[in-house]
Amino acid sequence: MLFKEFVLHNFGIYKGRHEVDLMPGQGRPIVLFGALNGSGKTTFLDGLQLVLYGKHARCTARGNMAYPDFLRSCINRYVSPHEGAGLELEFQHHREGKWQTIRVKRSWNGRTENVREKLEVIRDGVLDAMLSERWSEFVEDFIPSQISELFFFDGEKIEALADEQSAAAIIRTGIQALLGLDVVERLIADIKVLERRRRVDQLHPEAQALIKANQQALELLRDKMAELEAQLKQQKTVTEAIAGELKVSEESYRQQGGALAEQAAVFKAQLELAREQKEAHDKHLRDKIAGGQAPLLLVQNLMRTARTQLSIESNAHVAAAIVQEMSARDADVLGWLTQNDVSAATRDALAAQLARDREQRAAAAQMPAYLHLRPEALAMYTEEHFTALHADLGEELVREQQLAERVNDLDRTLAAMPNPETLAPLRERVVKQEQLLQQALGAADLLQQQHDDAVKTVAQAERELQNRMLELADQDLKHKTNERVQRHLGQVEKTLRSYREAVLQRNVKRLSGLILESFQSITRKPKMFERIEISPVDFRLALFDHAGHQIPSHQLSAGERQLLAVSILWGLSRASGRSLPAIIDTPLGRLDGQHRQKLVKNYFPKASHQVILLSTDQEIDEELHAKLERSISQEYVIEYSEEQQSSQIWPGYFSFAEALL
C-alpha cells in the first residue's frame, strides 16, 4: 500500500485547499515534513487517520468529544461553518494480482446543528457506490484499525508503551490482529453462541405430546372404520340373502306363467292387431282375384290359342292384299318383256312361275277368320305376363298364410295364460321381496358411503401423523445432529484453543526476538538486554540482562523507554508482514544525540517501504538531515502564515542557514 496524495481543505489550521504528493521514490522511502511546533504536524497526522477511519479514528485532538462536535471543531476557524471542510487521500493498493487506485473523499459542513458528513470512495477513477456506503468495513482490509497505532504514532507519546501494562495491551492487540488470533477468538465466541442455540433446539416435548394425541385420534378413527366395514359386510350378506330368495320366487312365478300373465294385455293387443291385418288382407286378396287379371290364369292355354289364331288371321289378310298387288305387277312385267322382244318361251315360263306364286299366296289368304280382332289386341298377354301375374298372386297367398298363423299363435298363447288368482300369492311374495331388497341395497349404499368417508378420514389422519412423525424424526435427527455438533464444537473449540496457544508460543518467541533485534539496532547500549520474553498468557514484556536478572521497564530512562516503545511497534510491524506506510510524528522526541543517530541510520530508512516523518527543526536537524537525505524522496516544510491565517505546505525543508541567522 502506498499513499499517493493527501488533500486538506479547511481542516484545522489548514485554510483552503492543500494538496500534497506523498509518493516515495525508488529506494528512497522517506517523505519528510518539517514544521515548528503549532504549525500543523499533529493535525496532518489526525487528518490522515480521520479520512480513513472517520468516527473510529484515534485523533489526538478529539479527546472525549462526540464525533459531530469533533468534525465541527475541525473546520478552520477562519471560514464559515457553511463552507465546511474535507479530506482526501489517494493510495495504491495491491489486490488480487493488480494495483488499484483508491481515493477516499470525506467532507462535512456545519450549516445546521447536525453536522452532515459525506463520504465518497472512487476506485480507479470511478465512484464505487458500494465501497462508499460500506467503507468502514472495507477499510479494515487495507489498514485494520486495531493495528493503526503500529503505523500512525507520535514518537514523543509512545514512551508510555514501554510500561509493562501498556506494552502488554499493544502486544496483545498486535499479536491477535496480525496473526489472525482475533478471528480465532471470535470463532471461539461464535462456538459458544452456537452451543447455546443447539441446546434450545433440543427442547420439543410439545411435538411429542402432539404425536401421541394424533396417534390416539387415529386409532379411534380406525376403530370406527372397522366397525363400519363389519356392518357393511353384514348388510351385504343380508342383501345377498334377500336377492337369493327373490330370485327363487321370481323363478317360481315365471314357472307358473307369471311373466306370461303380466304380458296378457300385450298379447291381446297384438291379437287384435293381427286379426285386423288379416281381415284387411283378405279383402285385398278378394278384390285382386275378382277384379284383376288373376282369373286369366285359369284360361292361360285358351289365351295362348287365341293369340295364335289372331296371328294366322292377320297373315291371311296381308297375303290377300299382296296377291292383288302382285297380279298387276306380273302383268306389267310380262308386257315389258313383250315390248322388249323377249322370247315367247321365256315369257311363258315366267308367266307360269308367277301364276304359281300367286296361287300359293291366294291359298294362304283363303284361311278362315273368326276372331276379327286387331293384331295388337292380345299382345300384352305374353308368357312373361302370366308368369309375373302368377308370382304376384303367390306372394299374396303367402302373406295370407302368415297372417292366419299369427292369429292362430296369439289365440293359443292367450288360451294358455294361467289364472290370475292362482298367481296372486306368488306375485305378492315377489313384490315384497323386491321391496326388502331395495331397502337392503339402500342400507348397504349408506354404509358403503360412511365406510368410504371413514377410509378417507383415516388416510388423511395417517398422512398428518406421518408428516408429524417426519417432523419429529427431523427434530430427532436435529437433536442427534445437535449432540454431534456440540461434541464437534467442543473439539473445534479445543482445537482452536490449542491452535491459538501453539501460534502464540511460536510467535511471541519470534516477536520477542524481533523487538530485541529492533531495540539493539537503535540503542547505543546494544548489550543492555540479553533477552526479552513475552508471556503468552498476559502478553507482559519481561526484560532480562546478561546476568539473567529481570529489569523493570520503569527503571529505564525516558529515552530508553521511547526506544523500547519504538522497538515494540517496529517489531510488531515487521511481524505483521504487511506493506503499510509508517507515519511518525515527532520521531526523535526526547532522545539524545546518539540515539537520534541510531534511529536516523537504522530505523527510519527501514521502518517501511513508505515512511512519512513529521519532524521539528530540533529533531531532524541539518546534521541528521544530511545523514537521512539519501533515503528521502520528497520533503516539505509546513509554515504558519499570519497573513493567510493558515499553515502552508511548501516543497523543501528547513533552511538551516536562515535559522542560524
Side-chain angles (χ1 to χ4, degrees):
M1 182 180 187
L2 280 172
F3 289 167
K4 294 181 64 177
E5 184 184 57
F6 184 45
V7 178
L8 305 97
H9 177 69
N10 293 337
F11 182 71
I13 201 171
Y14 298 94
K15 180 182 177 183
R17 184 177 177 87
H18 304 265
E19 300 177 355
V20 186
D21 182 3
L22 299 178
M23 280 295 287
Q26 185 67 33
R28 293 171 175 265
I30 296 176
V31 178
L32 177 62
F33 287 82
L36 300 178
N37 292 331
S39 297
K41 291 193 287 67
T42 302
T43 301
F44 191 93
L45 181 61
D46 284 350
L48 281 172
Q49 295 192 75
L50 181 61
V51 70
L52 285 173
Y53 300 111
K55 63 182 179 182
H56 300 296
R58 299 173 183 178
C59 298
T60 305
R62 181 174 175 178
N64 296 323
M65 295 174 66
Y67 184 58
D69 296 336
F70 173 64
L71 289 180
R72 186 188 299 278
S73 71
C74 289
I75 299 174
N76 183 271
R77 60 181 177 174
Y78 296 110
V79 301
S80 169
H82 290 197
E83 188 175 345
L87 297 166
E88 298 179 22
L89 177 64
E90 183 172 290
F91 61 87
Q92 286 184 332
H93 178 71
H94 196 259
R95 185 183 181 88
E96 298 178 351
K98 63 180 182 180
W99 286 96
Q100 293 180 340
T101 299
I102 306 293
R103 190 175 188 87
V104 183
K105 300 171 66 174
R106 191 183 297 274
S107 60
W108 63 93
N109 62 63
R111 295 172 189 167
T112 60
E113 292 184 359
N114 296 324
V115 175
R116 291 183 176 275
E117 183 185 38
K118 180 180 180 181
L119 178 68
E120 293 180 337
V121 181
I122 299 168
R123 189 206 299 265
D124 294 331
V126 179
L127 178 64
D128 190 321
M130 187 181 71
L131 205 57
S132 301
E133 184 179 352
R134 302 176 60 184
W135 174 250
S136 61
E137 301 173 21
F138 283 103
V139 69
E140 296 293 330
D141 293 339
F142 300 112
I143 308 177
S145 58
Q146 287 183 310
I147 60 171
S148 62
E149 288 181 286
L150 306 184
F151 302 93
F152 298 77
F153 62 87
D154 186 334
E156 194 173 34
K157 296 179 180 177
I158 61 173
E159 175 195 342
L161 295 179
D163 176 72
E164 289 184 2
Q165 189 169 357
S166 300
I170 188 65
I171 289 172
R172 177 194 298 275
T173 301
I175 285 179
Q176 290 188 340
L178 298 175
L179 302 181
L181 295 182
D182 55 336
V183 177
V184 177
E185 292 291 342
R186 286 199 298 272
L187 284 175
I188 293 174
D190 291 344
I191 287 173
K192 293 294 185 185
V193 173
L194 191 57
E195 284 180 344
R196 288 195 294 272
R197 290 178 180 174
R198 292 287 180 176
R199 290 192 186 99
V200 171
D201 290 341
Q202 293 176 4
L203 303 177
H204 291 290
E206 297 83 359
Q208 297 180 13
L210 184 59
I211 291 295
K212 187 176 181 179
N214 288 342
Q215 288 176 331
Q216 292 174 347
L218 178 59
E219 289 303 319
L220 292 176
L221 290 172
R222 284 173 174 166
D223 292 343
K224 179 65 176 177
M225 183 180 72
E227 181 181 353
L228 288 170
E229 188 173 0
Q231 292 178 1
L232 177 61
K233 186 176 180 180
Q234 182 179 5
Q235 184 61 38
K236 286 183 176 179
T237 302
V238 171
T239 303
E240 290 174 358
I242 295 174
E245 293 175 357
L246 174 60
K247 187 175 181 180
V248 172
S249 297
E250 287 178 340
E251 180 62 20
S252 176
Y253 181 70
R254 186 188 65 79
Q255 292 176 356
Q256 295 295 326
L260 188 63
E262 291 177 355
Q263 298 181 8
V266 176
F267 288 131
K268 288 179 180 178
Q270 292 177 351
L271 177 60
E272 185 65 25
L273 177 62
R275 284 175 175 171
E276 291 176 357
Q277 291 174 343
K278 184 176 182 301
E279 183 177 350
H281 190 266
D282 290 345
K283 181 177 183 300
H284 165 72
L285 187 58
R286 286 194 300 273
D287 293 343
K288 192 169 187 176
I289 293 175
Q293 298 180 358
L296 293 178
L297 292 173
L298 299 176
V299 291
Q300 185 175 354
N301 293 332
L302 182 59
M303 288 298 295
R304 187 180 302 114
T305 302
R307 194 168 60 252
T308 302
Q309 177 61 33
L310 183 59
S311 178
I312 293 171
E313 290 181 2
S314 179
N315 291 337
H317 179 73
V318 171
I322 290 173
V323 168
Q324 185 175 358
E325 291 296 329
M326 286 178 66
S327 296
R329 186 201 63 182
D330 292 346
D332 291 341
V333 170
L334 292 174
W336 182 82
L337 292 175
T338 302
Q339 291 174 358
N340 289 283
D341 296 329
V342 177
S343 64
T346 302
R347 290 196 305 271
D348 292 339
L350 180 61
Q353 181 61 34
L354 292 173
R356 286 192 296 273
D357 182 58
R358 286 194 301 274
E359 289 175 358
Q360 290 177 354
R361 293 184 180 273
Q366 293 303 315
M367 292 296 294
Y370 48 83
L371 291 178
H372 303 292
L373 295 174
R374 293 190 304 275
E376 67 274 13
L378 300 177
M380 64 175 294
Y381 300 106
T382 62
E383 292 299 325
E384 291 78 11
H385 175 76
F386 283 105
T387 300
L389 186 61
H390 185 272
D392 179 60
L393 186 60
E395 292 177 357
E396 294 292 349
L397 292 174
V398 170
R399 174 63 177 166
E400 176 65 17
Q401 181 65 28
Q402 291 174 343
L403 290 172
E405 291 177 354
R406 174 65 174 167
V407 171
N408 291 333
D409 290 342
L410 290 172
D411 280 337
R412 286 194 297 272
T413 301
L414 289 172
M417 288 285 179
N419 186 350
E421 294 179 358
T422 304
L423 293 174
L426 290 174
R427 179 60 189 166
E428 290 177 0
R429 187 172 65 182
V430 169
V431 171
K432 185 176 181 180
Q433 288 176 339
E434 285 178 344
Q435 293 174 349
L436 291 175
L437 179 60
Q438 291 301 319
Q439 293 174 358
L441 289 172
D445 290 342
L446 179 60
L447 287 172
Q448 183 67 56
Q449 183 62 45
Q450 292 176 346
H451 179 263
D452 291 345
D453 293 342
V455 170
K456 293 178 181 177
T457 303
V458 169
Q460 177 66 25
E462 288 176 341
R463 286 195 294 272
E464 292 178 357
L465 177 60
Q466 181 67 18
N467 292 335
R468 295 193 184 282
M469 293 290 287
L470 290 175
E471 291 177 3
L472 185 59
D474 290 341
Q475 291 175 4
D476 182 63
L477 178 60
K478 191 174 182 180
H479 174 72
K480 293 177 180 177
T481 302
N482 281 341
E483 292 181 343
R484 185 170 63 256
V485 169
Q486 285 183 12
R487 290 197 303 272
H488 291 170
L489 286 175
Q491 295 174 358
V492 170
E493 182 181 354
K494 185 178 179 181
T495 302
L496 287 173
R497 292 186 183 281
S498 300
Y499 168 76
R500 183 185 62 181
E501 296 303 322
V503 171
L504 282 175
Q505 289 289 346
R506 183 170 64 253
N507 285 279
V508 295
K509 185 177 181 180
R510 175 170 173 263
L511 180 60
S512 299
L514 289 173
I515 293 175
L516 179 60
E517 181 181 308
S518 299
F519 183 80
Q520 290 173 340
S521 68
I522 60 177
T523 181
R524 60 184 171 80
K525 300 176 183 178
K527 296 183 179 180
M528 184 175 184
F529 305 131
E530 191 272 339
R531 73 178 190 279
I532 294 177
E533 293 183 357
I534 298 174
S535 169
V537 178
D538 57 10
F539 300 97
R540 288 183 179 274
L541 198 71
L543 311 172
F544 296 91
D545 60 16
H546 286 269
H549 300 131
Q550 184 172 355
I551 303 174
S553 61
H554 66 268
Q555 291 183 1
L556 305 178
S557 67
E560 289 170 340
R561 287 201 296 273
Q562 182 174 346
L563 291 177
L564 179 59
V566 169
S567 300
I568 292 171
L569 297 178
W570 193 13
L572 285 167
S573 175
R574 293 166 65 188
S576 72
R578 290 175 179 263
S579 297
L580 298 176
I583 302 95
I584 307 171
D585 184 19
T586 317
L588 299 178
R590 301 172 183 177
L591 300 179
D592 56 34
Q594 291 188 17
H595 283 146
R596 291 186 176 192
Q597 296 278 353
K598 288 283 188 180
L599 284 180
V600 167
K601 179 181 179 182
N602 297 328
Y603 175 54
F604 295 149
K606 303 175 183 177
S608 177
H609 63 290
Q610 184 179 32
V611 181
I612 299 174
L613 297 178
L614 299 164
S615 170
T616 66
D617 59 341
Q618 297 299 314
E619 294 179 277
I620 299 179
D621 55 16
E622 184 175 14
E623 178 186 358
L624 295 179
H625 181 266
K627 293 180 179 298
L628 198 61
E629 190 170 14
R630 59 183 179 181
S631 299
I632 298 174
S633 59
Q634 298 198 67
E635 55 187 19
Y636 300 95
V637 61
I638 304 174
E639 295 178 338
Y640 182 74
S641 170
E642 291 288 351
E643 182 180 353
Q644 299 292 330
Q645 296 179 323
S646 171
S647 285
Q648 303 291 324
I649 303 175
W650 307 103
Y653 196 60
F654 293 114
S655 174
F656 296 106
E658 294 178 358
L660 291 173
L661 292 175

